[in-house]
Amino acid sequence: NMGSGALLGVAGSVLNGLSQAFQYSAKVTGEVWRAGQVAGASAAEQEQLLQKAFEVNRLTPISAMEAASAERYLAMAGNKTKQIQDMLQPAAELGSILGATIGGKGGVADLMTNIMATYGIESSKAASVTDDLYTAVTNANMSLDDLAQAITYAGSYANTAGISLRETAAAIGVMGNQGIQGSRAGVALGNMLNYLMQSLSGARPQGMKAL
């Protein structure tokens, strides 16, 4: 009787664990399905996105559910299946190192895709982008969110002026070390670049004369 009771207890625990695993897997599959629908993925491509989410979970501390959420936000930014797969692993690695969430609104994947869109950087260069972002954040007094906010305001001016993401991030980092962070840094840097470009074009005669 004691043995039977113990076996029933173990069986119940196993079944409960299997049930929870099934429910979790179903949630991940559902989130990937939503990502695939937004990205216009075929059935085969949806399977690729699902496998990519579990692969990221295997290689990083990021959960499969968070990876699936990141895939959905990458899809919402206009990325297709190949682009999502290119960007997901670098985003997961950056999020793991910085201890930041990669899925959801304002997550690493969301911020990264916005930054890349500002500079017109293709998805195959996502690893290089995350290297630049990591270097800037870990060598200056600012967070990834601070950097992303600043680029929101200054990125388009910098890109128009031919200034790379790396140089822009470095400039924002210098400002961060002086206590000028986030949107304040972006507005200040964006205005400076805008006034310089207007002066160079002659739209600001006094500025052109001074230059």
Side-chain angles (χ1 to χ4, degrees), residues 168-186:
T168 307
I172 293 169
V174 171
M175 298 175 76
N177 288 339
Q178 304 304 314
I180 306 171
Q181 300 162 339
S183 58
R184 289 177 59 220

Side-chain angles (χ1 to χ4, degrees), residues 87-183:
M87 298 170 71
L88 184 61
Q89 185 69 35
E93 291 173 356
L94 181 62
S96 299
I97 294 170
L98 298 179
T101 301
I102 71 162
K105 182 64 177 175
V108 173
D110 186 33
L111 298 178
M112 191 173 80
T113 194
N114 291 339
I115 291 170
M116 292 175 69
T118 298
Y119 281 85
I121 301 173
E122 58 190 47
S123 62
S124 60
K125 297 181 180 177
S128 176
V129 169
T130 54
D131 284 346
D132 290 343
L133 298 180
Y134 167 79
T135 301
V137 170
T138 55
N139 285 278
N141 182 24
M142 63 178 177
S143 66
L144 180 61
D145 189 55
D146 288 332
L147 177 59
Q149 284 186 39
I151 290 176
T152 298
Y153 290 94
S156 58
Y157 293 114
N159 189 37
T160 301
I163 299 172
S164 69
L165 170 61
R166 177 175 294 190
E167 290 177 296
T168 307
I172 293 169
V174 171
M175 298 175 76
N177 288 339
Q178 304 304 314
I180 306 171
Q181 300 162 339
S183 58

Side-chain angles (χ1 to χ4, degrees), residues 5 9 38 53-54 79 81 123 191 194 197:
V38 175
F54 282 112
N79 294 296
T81 303
S123 62
N191 283 341
N194 185 30
M197 287 189 289

Side-chain angles (χ1 to χ4, degrees), residues 29-46:
T29 302
E31 187 72 352
V32 171
W33 181 84
R34 284 185 283 273
Q37 292 300 300
V38 175
S42 64
E45 288 173 331
Q46 289 220 20

Side-chain angles (χ1 to χ4, degrees), residues 196-209:
L196 280 172
M197 287 189 289
Q198 287 187 36
S199 297
L200 287 168
S201 67
R204 295 174 70 90
Q206 290 183 325
M208 187 174 189
K209 182 179 178 181

Side-chain angles (χ1 to χ4, degrees), residues 52-67:
K52 189 65 179 181
F54 282 112
E55 180 185 342
V56 164
N57 172 236
R58 181 173 58 84
L59 297 175
T60 71
I62 302 299
S63 70
M65 187 62 195
E66 192 176 344

